[in-house]
Amino acid sequence: QKNCPVLFIVHGNHDYTVDSYLGYDYLGEYLSSYGYVVISVNENSCNDLSDENDGRAVLLLENMKYILELNKDETSEWYQKINEDKIAIAGHSRGGETVSTAYLFNDYDCYPENGNVKFDYHFDIKSLIAIAPTVDQYQPAEHEVSIQDVNYLVLQGANDHDVSIAMGQKQYDNVTFTQDGNYLKSLVYIANANHGQFNTEWGRYDYGYPINDFLNVANLMEESAQQEILKTFLKTFLDVTLKGDKTDEGLLKDCHMYADSLPKTVYQQIYQTSNFQCISNFDEDSNLNTATMDQARIETSNLDLWKEERTSFGSGNTKQNYVLVASWKDTKEAAIRFQLPEVNFAGRSVVFDVADMSEGDFDRTRLLDGEVILTDAAGNAARAKISDHAIVYPTLPVQLRKLDYVFGDYEFKHQFQTVTIPESTFTTEGTNLDMSCIVELTIALNTKENGKIRMDNVGFN
């Protein structure tokens, strides 16, 4: 074919004697069968170095420049293979951090650490994919990598021995939308997936000898299943963001709708689109009663504790994301209320991210649930049940080391999930709710007598 969308992919840090760039051949063969050009970039020259993540980004951009020049060369076998308006870049591990830095550098005219080093790229990059990424190993001129108006996908395994926390969550938070366009971002957290099996050259052990002898790999999914997950999400993401084919866009928002098509494991997923309207992301100040939206306020009832807390994703010392933490004891009447300045919810969906912080309880009948209640200016109310729209899994217990298994110890993984409740699914109590002037949004945690949650990004689409 001619004029195909293109994906450039880069590996991360690994033994430089291993041809890590060949570990994504399965992705290349799969995606090319659907009309994509796929280029895997060899970055072994950066391996076994430190403070080199900016160099990885420049190396990727230089490879892109070289290939896209061939795309214009009538004597090249690459001539007119690539549609230069439809470019995506993907990275694994340090490569997952690289793609965000490369996207930043792509729009710069010079290198942040030395203005005498000139950049001249300006490629039309539409989409970024970060696979088990690091974050903050490079910070341009001691700033976070904050980027705007680009599609962003993160995949992270809960049993990752190398990047053991979902660092990609921080970069996810640092991808923002101006509402001038149509963009989305999605993060998928995958139980029983590790760091290395996304690359066929890396395998089940995320560290080499002798540390690998101490790693617990018995509970990992099969390599073929982990790669099937990446193939499925990556193709759908590229179809939606490069080809404009939104047939399976739902996979990027609520993959449980596609459970029959995915390997069996627990998936925890958050997403946001550029038409998201924020009520509160809890970042604005230290006043618990203020919200992000002008004139909105936060109140609670029957909580044992509520506060705003900085999250620990990422490894930098700069600004972090803040979330609401709430706990309750011996009550089924705990509630969080957002007082609003007459918001029009007609045709919209209530959206919020929530993490159940309870540990060690996997009884499906005791999953976190509750109600979302909308109240209009006349005092009429309508309700919707959380469990009708999302499975909010409890904290994932993980045994990363063999000694964890021997002594019965667990590392608990706390991960957010997005709940989306369309306006049409709210039921009224014998009254007609005026969706055009909603003045209160209540999240009632009324199914468990004891609990603890984190909450973020409360708003509507």
Side-chain angles (χ1 to χ4, degrees):
Q1 289 182 250
K2 298 282 188 179
N3 204 37
C4 300
V6 61
L7 172 71
F8 292 85
I9 186 167
V10 289
H11 61 83
N13 190 48
H14 200 69
D15 182 347
Y16 64 82
T17 65
V18 175
D19 289 328
S20 296
Y21 76 102
L22 298 179
Y24 311 109
D25 276 1
Y26 72 97
L27 273 178
E29 293 170 2
Y30 177 71
L31 293 171
S32 62
S33 72
Y34 287 95
Y36 291 93
V37 170
V38 181
I39 296 105
S40 182
V41 177
N42 183 353
E43 298 215 337
N44 269 5
S45 58
C46 295
N47 288 355
D48 287 342
L49 301 175
S50 59
D51 300 323
E52 85 301 344
N53 281 29
D54 48 346
R56 290 178 184 271
V58 174
L59 185 57
L60 168 59
L61 290 165
E62 287 293 322
N63 274 271
M64 293 171 66
K65 182 178 181 180
Y66 174 72
I67 292 293
L68 295 178
E69 286 173 352
L70 293 179
N71 192 53
K72 298 181 180 72
D73 183 352
E74 294 183 12
T75 66
S76 168
E77 62 180 340
W78 285 91
Y79 182 58
Q80 293 185 345
K81 289 287 187 186
I82 293 171
N83 183 337
E84 296 187 19
D85 295 327
K86 297 181 178 180
I87 299 174
I89 53 177
H92 180 196
S93 193
R94 290 191 193 183
E97 178 174 342
T98 294
V99 295
S100 298
T101 305
Y103 182 79
L104 197 72
F105 285 1
N106 182 59
D107 282 338
Y108 283 4
D109 294 324
C110 61
Y111 177 44
E113 316 304 331
N114 183 351
N116 292 320
V117 178
K118 303 303 180 183
F119 289 159
D120 185 19
Y121 300 113
H122 305 292
F123 306 128
D124 194 2
I125 300 171
K126 295 285 198 299
S127 305
L128 311 180
I129 302 98
I131 306 158
T134 60
V135 174
D136 292 333
Q137 289 189 353
Y138 169 69
Q139 293 186 310
E142 299 183 349
H143 290 74
E144 291 184 340
V145 177
S146 297
I147 52 182
Q148 277 189 338
D149 290 345
V150 66
N151 300 293
Y152 189 66
L153 173 67
V154 185
L155 293 102
Q156 172 78 44
N159 290 64
D160 190 320
H161 296 88
D162 188 357
V163 182
S164 59
I165 62 173
M167 288 188 178
Q169 170 85 54
K170 185 180 182 185
Q171 188 61 64
Y172 173 97
D173 291 327
N174 279 342
V175 175
T176 57
F177 306 129
T178 62
Q179 299 180 345
D180 183 18
N182 186 19
Y183 303 97
L184 65 86
K185 57 181 180 177
S186 179
L187 184 151
V188 187
Y189 199 65
I190 309 159
N192 307 112
N194 79 332
H195 192 77
Q197 289 187 148
F198 293 115
N199 185 308
T200 58
E201 301 295 311
W202 291 8
R204 294 175 74 79
Y205 291 94
D206 292 340
Y207 285 99
Y209 179 83
I211 298 176
N212 60 351
D213 284 342
F214 296 91
L215 302 182
N216 177 21
V217 299
N219 54 1
L220 298 183
M221 65 175 62
E222 292 298 320
E223 182 179 72
S224 59
Q226 189 164 326
Q227 292 167 8
E228 186 67 26
I229 292 169
L230 179 57
K231 286 162 55 178
T232 301
F233 278 95
L234 191 48
K235 177 185 177 295
T236 301
F237 181 69
L238 295 177
D239 286 349
V240 171
T241 63
L242 295 190
K243 290 185 175 180
D245 179 359
K246 298 189 177 184
T247 304
D248 292 315
E249 186 178 15
L251 177 74
L252 306 173
K253 299 180 178 181
D254 184 5
C255 64
H256 296 103
M257 296 189 299
Y258 293 78
D260 292 341
S261 302
L262 292 168
K264 304 302 180 188
T265 189
V266 171
Y267 299 89
Q268 295 175 293
Q269 187 175 30
I270 55 174
Y271 81 94
Q272 195 176 106
T273 67
S274 52
N275 63 21
F276 174 73
Q277 301 288 314
C278 184
I279 294 172
S280 187
N281 61 16
F282 311 103
D283 291 337
E284 66 282 342
D285 55 39
S286 60
N287 186 342
L288 293 179
N289 293 118
T290 57
T292 309
M293 177 181 283
D294 287 343
Q295 302 178 54
R297 287 184 60 80
I298 305 172
E299 298 176 354
T300 68
S301 58
N302 300 304
L303 290 179
D304 177 60
L305 168 72
W306 64 296
K307 62 179 181 176
E308 292 176 355
E309 180 177 271
R310 190 171 69 176
T311 55
S312 58
F313 301 112
S315 56
N317 295 319
T318 51
K319 172 183 170 290
Q320 297 270 3
N321 179 52
Y322 286 81
V323 301
L324 178 71
V325 177
S327 64
W328 63 98
K329 293 180 181 178
D330 303 321
T331 181
K332 287 189 176 182
E333 297 182 356
I336 303 165
R337 295 183 181 85
F338 300 87
Q339 306 292 339
L340 308 175
E342 291 199 7
V343 174
N344 183 2
F345 270 85
R348 294 173 168 175
S349 298
V350 176
V351 180
F352 58 92
D353 298 339
V354 63
D356 185 351
M357 303 296 287
S358 57
E359 298 177 351
D361 186 355
F362 266 84
D363 186 336
R364 180 71 175 265
T365 64
R366 293 199 293 271
L367 290 178
L368 180 73
D369 202 357
E371 289 183 313
V372 176
I373 306 165
L374 297 177
T375 305
D376 66 16
N380 302 315
R383 300 170 179 266
K385 196 174 181 181
I386 292 174
S387 59
D388 289 340
H389 301 275
I391 303 171
V392 182
Y393 288 105
T395 301
L396 296 180
V398 176
Q399 294 176 314
L400 295 178
R401 293 159 291 275
K402 291 177 180 176
L403 287 177
D404 294 337
Y405 178 79
V406 171
F407 292 107
D409 294 331
Y410 292 91
E411 181 176 332
F412 291 97
K413 305 289 187 175
H414 307 107
Q415 196 61 34
F416 284 102
Q417 295 164 253
T418 297
V419 177
T420 302
I421 305 178
E423 171 257 338
S424 59
T425 63
F426 282 85
T427 58
T428 59
E429 302 169 341
T431 57
N432 293 320
L433 186 77
D434 186 354
M435 280 289 181
S436 68
C437 61
I438 298 300
V439 297
E440 185 176 273
L441 165 64
T442 301
I443 299 174
L445 304 162
N446 54 13
T447 61
K448 296 175 71 173
E449 291 186 350
N450 301 284
K452 182 179 180 181
I453 63 166
R454 283 179 176 173
M455 185 175 293
D456 202 4
N457 300 318
V458 179
F460 53 90
N461 283 336

